Amino acid sequence: MPLKSIDPTTTSAWKKLTEHFHQIKDEKILDWFQKDDKRAEKFQIEWRDFFLDFSKNKISSKTLELLLSLAEEVDLNDAIEKHFNGDIINETEHRAVLHTDLRKKNKPEEVQQALAQMKNFSEKVIEGKWKGATGKKIETIVNVGVGGSDLGPKMVTNTLKFYKNHLETHFVSNMDGDQVAEILKHINPETALVIVVSKSFGTQETITNSNTIKKWFQNHNITDFSKHFVAVSANQEKAQEFGIDYKNIFPMWDWVGGRFSLWSPVGLTISCAIGFQNFEELLLGAREMDDHFQKTDFAENIPVILALLSIWYNNFFKAETEAIIPYSHYLQEFVPYLQQGIMESNGKSVSRKGNPINYQTGTIIWGQPGSNCQHAFFQLFHQGTKIIPTDFIGFKKPLNKNKKQHDKLMANFFAQTEALLKGKSKEEIAEELKYIDTEQAKKISPFKEVEGNKPTNTILIEKLTPKSLGSLISMYEHKIFIQGVIWNIFSYDQWGVELGKQLASKILPQIKNQKIERNQDSSTSSLLKRYFS
Ligand SMILES: O=P(O)(O)OC[C@H]1O[C@](O)(CO)[C@@H](O)[C@@H]1O
C-alpha cells in the first residue's frame, strides 16, 4: 500500500501550531528555565547509551503536544508500518525502502548470503590470504564510487579509524582526475585492491575512475584484474561487461537506496578496514535504533522528537538551515554524509499526489566538528541575524586515553549550548566593563551584547563505538523518513540529480568536437567558446 497523502498544512495541528507560534515566538527559553526548574527533566530522553537533551529549544509543553498531534494527524504510525513492511513507499521508482532489513534480526536469505560473502572476503584480505597478481598480500583498499557508494563507506571507515586494522584505505569519487591521480601516486599496484561500488554500474564518475585505475594497473604490467578488482552492484551484467570476474561481484538490491546502503555490501570497505565483527556491531547499533523508533511512543521517541523540532523551526520560524556539530574529530565526514542523506531525500517540492507544494521542505544541512568551528563560524551563531537550530553531538569517554584533553573539549561542548541559550546581557557587560572609562564602555557595550535564545539539541553518547555509530546514523535516517512523511513528499527518489547528468552528456560531445550546439542558452555557449580557446 502506498503512503497516505495528507497536506500537513490542512491538519488542525498545523493550524493550532501557527496560532501557537505567534503566541510564543518572542519568548525567551531562559525565562522558561527560570520559571520551571524541572524543564530539563521534561525535555530529555534517555535511551541505552544515548541521552538527548532538547530542553534548550523554543518549545513549551504545549508546543510539543501540538507537534506530536501533527505526527498523529498525518498518520505517521501507518507510514512506519508500511516502511518496515516493505510496501512500495518509493512510488516514483516503484520500490520498497528496506535498508532496515539489512540489519534486522531475521534477515532475508539473500542478505545473509551477501553478509557471509563479505565476511569471507574481508577475512581473506585482512589475513593476507587474498593475494595480488604477483603473489603479494593486499595492503591498500581503494573504494571507487560516488554519492551513497562513497560517502557512507568513507564516513564510517574514517569515523571508526580508532578500530582500524593495518589496511590502508582510499576513496576515489570525483570526476576530477586529480583526485585519483594523487592517490595512485602513493600506492603500490601489486598490493592494491579496488572495490568498485555502483548500484547502477553506470555512473560516469565511477566508470571513468575505474577505467583510469585499470590503465594504471596495465601500465604496471598487471593484467589479471580478478586479483585486484571486485565490485558491488545491483547490475551484475554491467559489472561483468566492465571486466569484473563474476565471483568477485557482491550484490546490491533495488530496495536499498544508495544513500542508505552502507549496511549492505556497499560497506565492504568498512568490513575490510575494521573487520567483519565490528561491521556486525555497526548493524546491531542501527537495529537497536530501528527497534526504538518502531516501538516507542512518539513522546519518548528520539528520531520523532528530532524530526518534529526540525519541522517547528523550518516551517514556523522559517529557519533555512540546520547545523550539526559533532565534538569528535573522528566525525569529520559525518556532516558531508548527512548532507546527501538529508538533502537528496527531502529536497523536494511536489506533494505525494504530484502537486506543487506551498510550504518549505528539506533543510540545508551544514556543520563541522567542534571545537574547530568555534573559531570559524560560531561568531555568526552567537551574534548573527539568523536562526540556526543545531545538534551538538558529544561522547562521554575519549578513545585515546587523554581524559584531561577530553574534559577540555567537553567543557567547550557544554559551554557552547549554554552560551547559545543565555547570551550575555547589558548588565553582565556593564559589570565586566566597570573599570574602563565610561565613555569607552558605553561605546563598545552594544557590540559585546549576545542575544542568546538560540535553539540547540544535545546528544550525549557514552563512547564512539561501531555500535553507537550505527545507532547514530540510523537515528538520522529515521528523522529523514519522518520529515518526508510529514511534508508529504517522496524521500527516496532523486530525479533532480538526473538533469545535470543529462546536460553534461550533451556538453561533452560539444567539447570533444569543439562545436557549439545551436539551441543552447547564450551564457553556456559563450562559456564553452571561452573554454575551447
Ligand atoms: O551507486 P551508483 O548507481 O553509482 O550511484 C551513485 C549515486 O548517484 C546518485 O544516484 C545520484 O547522485 C545517488 O543517489 C547515488 O548514491
Side-chain angles (χ1 to χ4, degrees), residues 146-149 198-200 203 206 258-259 340 344 494 497 501:
V146 71
S149 299
S198 178
K199 184 174 163 183
S200 59
T203 307
T206 305
R259 52 192 177 271
Q340 187 205 14
E344 197 163 86
Q494 56 286 316
V497 185
K501 293 185 193 170

Side-chain angles (χ1 to χ4, degrees), residues 93-149:
E93 295 180 326
H94 198 69
R95 289 171 182 171
V97 176
L98 277 175
H99 45 274
T100 46
D101 265 18
L102 299 165
R103 55 220 193 191
K104 71 179 183 187
K105 212 172 200 152
N106 301 314
K107 298 178 185 62
E109 186 57 36
E110 55 191 332
V111 175
Q112 288 181 39
Q113 276 172 16
L115 287 173
Q117 195 187 351
M118 283 174 79
K119 179 175 188 284
N120 180 33
F121 173 80
S122 40
E123 282 174 358
K124 263 192 190 160
V125 174
I126 297 166
E127 289 163 15
K129 291 181 184 150
W130 181 289
K131 302 270 183 351
T134 58
K136 293 197 173 154
K137 291 176 190 170
I138 297 304
E139 287 169 0
T140 310
I141 305 275
V142 183
N143 189 100
V144 186
V146 71
S149 299

Side-chain angles (χ1 to χ4, degrees), residues 482-505:
I482 300 158
Q483 291 190 292
V485 170
I486 295 179
W487 285 325
N488 195 28
I489 54 177
F490 285 123
S491 299
Y492 298 100
D493 58 21
Q494 56 286 316
W495 298 107
V497 185
E498 297 307 314
L499 176 61
K501 293 185 193 170
Q502 281 167 3
L503 293 182
S505 71

Side-chain angles (χ1 to χ4, degrees), residues 4 6 60 73 90 101 117 156 270 351 379 384 391 455 515:
K4 293 180 181 171
I6 300 168
S60 64
E73 270 192 74
N90 175 1
D101 265 18
Q117 195 187 351
V156 175
I270 306 172
S351 77
Q379 165 62 31
D391 288 352
K515 203 169 167 232

Side-chain angles (χ1 to χ4, degrees), residues 16 65-66 73 77 87 139 256 260 330 416 494 530:
K16 286 183 192 155
E65 191 187 299
L66 292 174
E73 270 192 74
N77 272 315
D87 290 13
E139 287 169 0
V256 181
F260 301 94
Y330 285 118
Q416 286 300 326
Q494 56 286 316
R530 194 159 276 270

Side-chain angles (χ1 to χ4, degrees), residues 62 82 105 149 151 238 267 293 315 329 405 407 446 522:
K62 177 81 187 162
K82 286 174 175 157
K105 212 172 200 152
S149 299
L151 292 162
K238 270 199 165 176
F293 170 52
N315 295 93
H329 208 71
Q405 192 158 343
D407 286 346
S522 60

